[in-house]
């Protein structure tokens, strides 16, 4: 099966270079250092052999002292340049990475929440942390060596011509293969291999993540061994991909080295031929032979370039794919302001989740005015939550429109929309910070007093006082210390703290006991008397205060 | 740099053979390289003497070709051996880590954080295997190679050979001086990486909330900050790393220069031949190849060592549970589950249960009631043996819980939690978790019972419908219903429903409870429900408050006592009465309103 790639290699290289544009200076220094360092490798061997030759009296020009000095200078330059290249390129590359990582989050932000519903979370993580790090290679280790791969053979060829054109003639095809043909083939052949490996690694991450979050259910049904088998199976898949990857890497390492040996043998053969023809160039042959040996360092660069390019392109492709995904929702350029919300109208709204092919809502009508309290009921999966999500503009309806104060929802800014419409979700997400900060998520500047007030209204205050650090108690990474009801009440306190015009609630009482449910309803009656409320619930008791009930059903 | 890590070495069991193979392959490459150098320097030396014949040149070229072919073959073999080594390492490491993760209980997960578990089992393993395939063999090779090269070189130029050997022997220990410094930095590095990763994951998962409260921009700023901090940490490590590279490079290239000068002096003194001088220069250049490769591998090995420490932390968590299979079963066992003087407290929180004792008779329905936080779910966790009681004991039909492994126990007792977890795969896969051999008809029947039958039949893929990552393609109610169907399929004798239907729509809820009632004929049920009407018919109701049982009896008995239960029931009835006012009195109260707002759906 042939994989299709979204982006061509030149296009991606161009894009990566564009990202690197602010770092031109840094990149220039590191590239120069890389080139000088590698040229010095040839200098070291070339001058070293000249030193010996001058001692043996095979050459007349230059003194041993000069060649000795040049050998030393070459050695020193190698060391300095290698250090310089390393430090400078890494400073630049890592600075850039911090930027890219945040940019990626911005992209996800732009696409959220729609994209989060179908992209596996673990995969995103992989892209964010590992893939971005992979791209570091491009900036730190690729650009310099790319020049070297071309430059070193050229210099060797130049010396060869100076010694005898025959040497150049035998070396040229070998260098062409090693510097041009081989890298092209290697990159092309290796691209799908690298992609496959990374993808499978991402899948593994999702698998493990899901297992950890679902550990309780796994334990209930003693499903651990099956999950383990799945992990092992996925691991075998990774291994298969890694096999290709390792062999490819090793070939990329071994084949150019082999070609350099061939080049050195070709020099011997040419020298023999010349000697047999009566032309003796011993000094030139020896210098050339040593310089060719040092050009080995360029093939090592080549290895790095090819294997890192492969991983880089695989990583960059996924990164660009996310960046280029068209968001479901585009913020209006010149948003209108709607003022306090007085009316909400759904007109002939039809909607189906992208990719599902099924229409969830069809020609849906709803007209809500003033401080109406609308209860929405219906079977699970019938589209109750969808109505709320459309009102919050997670998606745009495919047909029809939603009007707020007679302004199409698309013409309002999301900021205003979400400020005026507060939402209480089915499951309240807790962040890994103090419980006070979790309550104040919508109003970070809120005073402790306000937070306590909100918590009291939500029936959470008494619970918080039992926690070891009260309002400053840190929520664990999974918020596992809180029961469903407690989490829900954190969500209620959040909405209490902001002052919205409209309150949208999705099963707000599903995890509350009867006393707390009653408290919440009381709070809603008191605190939201003059506000519009949309309430999805299957509990008749929760729908108590509703002035109108809307029932969703199948045709 | 010398990076020896106890954990990694301990986990290397079974890999040494392959590591040895890698070293052998690389030694073979070395033999080829040395023989190539000998041939070429011999040829070049002879080039200056007019005596060299074409035949001699031919044989030199032939043997050089031979050496090059050997090097190529040995290189490729190294790759294969490295693959074998890594694939074995991956499999054994991931199996070990994941098996451990499966034994963790909820409290432990909280302690280590799920992110950490993921990093160690996915990224960590990938860096750990580099330690085995590149670093350790490289290190061994690095110790052997200089000696081999010394013997190859000593006849050509003894002083050069001695200098090179001496330097190669001090390079490793000298480099180690940097190690301590790096060690202290890399803990920081790893921590800030964890910090960034955790924060990133949380930001992505909570993105919907963040967007709704317009906190995503602030979050991005903090993220930027953390990303910058992480980069600084990397740079700290890198800087020391490059300084150590500078030092090593200085030694290596200094040696090459020194070798050239030594060879020159010896040649000038006439103590060695021209060929030997060339050979000395050539070999000195490739003498330290092993070190350069090792230095390259060190960078990755460093990550491997850090990962190994994380893995070690995970593996060292004590997941052992009290287990005493020799405990005798009671002679006259109670038919059911008996809890005796159970007390329990979550770490860092007040006691959740205090000295609770009660019986769950077989083939009956036991309900737990009380306000949230009263300890109902803790009892359920105890019965499922997610936790072990701090004191007291639980007996299943006369057998102490601790005489069984948790797995044995859970063959008898299962639970439907408030929020079930589904796993990426098809609906069928998720249902078969509980009944691996169930036929499709049975699965459909179970789905019918939870009112998902029509839905699944309307899906083009039927039972093969994908549920998405953690069931994300389904609605909350659908997920929960599948979780309940899963429990219905399971053959366990005891089933706990812990607020199992609280996120299910009301019509389905009724149907499901009807099903659960049917189930009561054949199984023992333990029901926790906020909706007291659903537990009215339970054989016994236990009312908990503050971690203690405050009332116990049937609905009628409890209603007679003027207690918490009666109060809760009255409150709920009042509320539900209120709830029914806008509509009709029964569960289809909204039918009359359907005319007013008619919603039509495909």
């Amino acid at each position: 099966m042939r994989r299709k790639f979204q982006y061509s290699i030149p296009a991606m290289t161009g894009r990566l270079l564009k990202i690197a544009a602010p770092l031109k200076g840094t990149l220039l220094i590191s590239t120069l250092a890389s080139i000088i360092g590698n040229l010095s490798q040839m200098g070291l061997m070339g001058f070293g052999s000249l030193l010996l030759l001058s001692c043996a009296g095979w050459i007349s020009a230059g003194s041993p002292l000069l060649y000795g000095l040049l050998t030393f200078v070459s050695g020193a330059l190698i060391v300095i340049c290698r250090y310089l290249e390393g430090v400078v390129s890494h400073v630049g590359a890592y600075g850039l990475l911090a930027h890219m990582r945040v940019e990626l989050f911005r992209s996800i932000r732009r696409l959220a929440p729609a994209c989060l519903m179908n992209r596996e979370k673990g995969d995103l993580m992989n892209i964010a942390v590992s893939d971005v790090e992979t791209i570091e290679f491009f900036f730190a280790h690729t650009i310099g060596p790319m020049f070297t791969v071309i430059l070193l053979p050229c210099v060797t060829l130049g010396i060869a011509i100076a010694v005898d054109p025959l040497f150049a003639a035998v070396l040229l095809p070998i260098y062409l293969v090693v510097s041009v043909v081989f890298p092209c083939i290697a990159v092309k052949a290796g691209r799908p291999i690298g992609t496959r490996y990374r993808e499978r690694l991402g899948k593994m991450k999702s698998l493990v993540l899901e297992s950890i979050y679902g550990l309780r259910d796994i334990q209930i049904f003693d499903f651990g061994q099956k999950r383990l088998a799945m992990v092992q199976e996925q691991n075998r898949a990774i291994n298969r991909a890694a096999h290709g990857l390792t062999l490819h890497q090793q070939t990329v390492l071994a084949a150019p080295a082999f070609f350099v040996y061939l080049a050195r043998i070709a020099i011997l053969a040419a020298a023999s031929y010349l000697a047999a023809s009566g032309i003796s160039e011993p000094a030139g042959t020896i210098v050339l032979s040593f310089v060719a040996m040092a050009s080995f360092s360029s093939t090592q660069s080549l290895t790095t370039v090819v294997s890192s390019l492969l991983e880089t392109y695989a990583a960059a492709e996924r990164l660009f794919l996310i960046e280029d995904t068209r968001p479901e929702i585009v913020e209006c350029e010149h948003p209108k302001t709607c003022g306090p919300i007085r009316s909400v109208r759904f007109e002939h709204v039809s909607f189906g989740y992208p990719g599902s092919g099924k229409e969830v809502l069809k020609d849906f009508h709803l007209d809500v005015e003033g401080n109406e309290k609308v209860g929405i009921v219906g079977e699970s999966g019938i589209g109750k939550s969808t109505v709320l999500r459309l009102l919050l503009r997670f998606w745009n309806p495919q047909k029809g429109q939603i009007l707020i104060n007679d302004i199409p929802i698309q013409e309002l800014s999301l900021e205003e929309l979400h400020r005026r419409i507060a939402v209480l979700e089915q499951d309240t997400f807790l962040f890994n910070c103090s419980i006070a900060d979790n309550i104040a998520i919508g109003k970070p500047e809120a005073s402790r007093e306000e937070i306590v007030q909100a918590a009291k209204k939500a029936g959470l205050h008494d619970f918080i006082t039992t926690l070891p650090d009260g309002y400053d108690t840190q929520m664990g990474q999974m918020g596992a210390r809180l029961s469903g009801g407690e989490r829900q009440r954190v969500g209620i306190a959040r909405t209490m703290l902001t002052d919205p015009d409209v309150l949208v609630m999705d099963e707000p009482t599903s995890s509350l006991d009867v006393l707390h449910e009653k408290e919440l309803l009381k709070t809603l009656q008191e605190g939201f008397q003059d506000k519009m409320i949309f309430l999805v619930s299957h509990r008749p008791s929760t729908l108590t205060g509703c002035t109108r009930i809307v029932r969703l059903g199948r045709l | 740099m010398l990076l020896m890590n106890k954990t990694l070495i301990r986990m290397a069991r079974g890999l040494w053979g392959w590591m040895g193979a890698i070293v052998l392959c690389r030694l073979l490459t070395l033999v080829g390289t040395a023989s190539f150098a000998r041939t070429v320097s011999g040829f070049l030396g002879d080039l200056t003497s007019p005596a060299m014949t074409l035949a001699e040149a031919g044989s030199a070229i032939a043997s050089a070709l031979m050496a090059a072919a050997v090097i190529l073959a040995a290189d490729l073999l190294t790759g294969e051996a490295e693959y074998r080594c890594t694939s074995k390492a991956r499999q054994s490491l991931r199996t070990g880590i994941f098996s451990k993760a499966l034994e963790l209980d909820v409290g432990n997960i909280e302690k280590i954080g799920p992110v950490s578990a993921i990093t160690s089992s996915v990224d960590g393993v990938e860096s750990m295997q580099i330690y085995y395939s590149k670093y350790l063999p490289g290190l061994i090779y690095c110790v052997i190679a200089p000696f081999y090269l010394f013997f190859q070189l000593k006849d050509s130029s003894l002083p050069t050979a001695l200098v090179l050997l001496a330097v190669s022997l001090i390079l490793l220990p000298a480099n180690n001086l940097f190690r301590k410094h790096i060690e202290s930095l890399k803990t920081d590095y790893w921590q800030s990486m964890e910090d960034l990763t955790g924060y990133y994951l949380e930001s992505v998962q909570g993105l919907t909330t963040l967007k709704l409260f317009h906190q995503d921009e602030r979050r991005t700023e903090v993220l930027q900050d953390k990303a910058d901090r992480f980069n600084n940490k990397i740079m700290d490590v890198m800087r020391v790393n490059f300084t150590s590279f500078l030092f090593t490079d200085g030694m290596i290239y200094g040696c090459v220069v020194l070798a050239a000068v030594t060879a020159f002096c010896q040649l000038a003194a006439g103590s060695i031949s021209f060929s030997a001088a060339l050979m000395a220069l050539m070999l000195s250049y490739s003498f330290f190849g092993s070190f350069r490769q090792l230095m390259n591998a060190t960078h990755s090995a460093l990550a491997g060592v850090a990962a190994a420490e994380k893995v070690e932390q995970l593996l060292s968590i004590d997941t052992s549970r009290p287990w005493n299979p020799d405990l005798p079963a009671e002679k006259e066992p109670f038919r059911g589950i008996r809890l005796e003087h159970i007390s329990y407290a979550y770490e860092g929180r007040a006691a959740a249960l205090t000295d609770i004792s009660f019986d769950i008779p077989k083939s009956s329905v036991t309900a737990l009631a009380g306000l949230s936080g009263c300890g109902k779910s803790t009892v359920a966790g105890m019965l499922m043996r997610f936790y072990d009681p701090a004191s007291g004991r639980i007996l299943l039909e006369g057998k102490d819980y601790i005489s069984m492994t948790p797995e044995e126990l859970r063959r008898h007792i299962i639970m439907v939690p408030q929020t079930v977890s589904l796993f990426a795969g098809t609906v069928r896969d998720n249902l078969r978790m509980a009944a691996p051999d169930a036929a499709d008809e049975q699965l459909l029947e179970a789905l019918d019972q939870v009112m998902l039958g029509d839905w699944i039949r309307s899906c083009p893929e039927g039972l093969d419908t994908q549920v998405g990552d953690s069931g994300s393609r389904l609605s909350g109610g659908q997920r929960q219903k599948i979780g309940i169907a899963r429990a219905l399929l399971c053959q366990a004798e005891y089933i706990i429903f812990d607020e199992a239907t609280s996120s299910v729509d009301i019509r389905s809820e009724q149907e499901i409870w009807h099903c659960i009632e049917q189930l009561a004929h054949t199984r023992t049920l333990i029901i926790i429900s906020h909706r007291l009407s659903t537990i009215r018919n339970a054989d016994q109701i236990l009312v908990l408050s503050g971690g203690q049982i405050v009332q116990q009896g049937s609905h009628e008995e409890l209603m007679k006592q003027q207690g918490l239960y009666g109060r809760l029931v009255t409150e709920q009835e009042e509320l539900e009465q209120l709830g029914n006012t806008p509509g009709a009195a029964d569960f289809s109260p909204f039918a009359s309103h359907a005319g007013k707002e008619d919603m039509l759906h495909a």
Side-chain angles (χ1 to χ4, degrees), chain B residues 132-188:
Chain B
Y132 296 127
S133 67
K134 299 265 187 216
Y135 184 76
L136 272 186
L139 191 67
I140 299 168
Y141 174 73
C142 232
V143 175
I144 303 175
F147 287 98
Y148 176 78
L149 287 170
F150 171 78
F151 284 107
Q152 290 295 311
L153 193 57
K154 75 173 179 13
D155 296 332
S156 308
S157 170
L158 189 61
T160 313
L162 279 173
V163 169
L164 291 176
L165 183 65
V167 169
S168 71
L169 288 182
I170 60 162
L171 256 184
L172 262 186
N175 235 313
N176 223 23
L177 294 176
F178 290 97
R179 186 189 158 197
K180 236 199 175 112
H181 195 43
I182 292 208
E183 198 109 309
S184 66
L185 289 174
K186 106 197 153 197
T187 322
D188 269 8

Side-chain angles (χ1 to χ4, degrees), chain A residues 186-187 189-190 193 243-253 306 310:
Chain A
V187 170
I193 301 176
H243 196 185
L245 198 66
T246 315
L247 287 186
H248 184 266
Q249 272 171 354
Q250 207 60 25
T251 312
V252 170
L253 183 84
V306 170
L310 284 177

Side-chain angles (χ1 to χ4, degrees), chain B residues 36-109:
Chain B
F36 190 89
R38 182 175 300 281
T39 311
V40 172
S41 61
F43 179 95
L44 291 174
D46 288 348
L47 204 58
T48 54
S49 71
M52 192 177 71
T53 65
L54 218 55
E56 278 170 344
S59 80
I61 288 170
S63 60
L65 267 175
M66 183 75 135
V70 167
I71 293 169
L72 180 67
D75 271 345
L76 293 177
L77 278 177
T78 310
E80 182 63 23
E82 280 179 2
Y83 162 71
R84 301 270 164 184
C85 180
T86 56
S87 75
K88 207 164 173 183
R90 274 196 197 98
Q91 196 74 355
S92 70
L93 288 174
R94 289 218 168 95
T95 304
I97 295 169
F98 194 77
S99 305
K100 186 72 186 185
L102 289 174
E103 289 172 15
L104 297 176
D105 59 43
V106 179
N108 283 326
I109 293 181

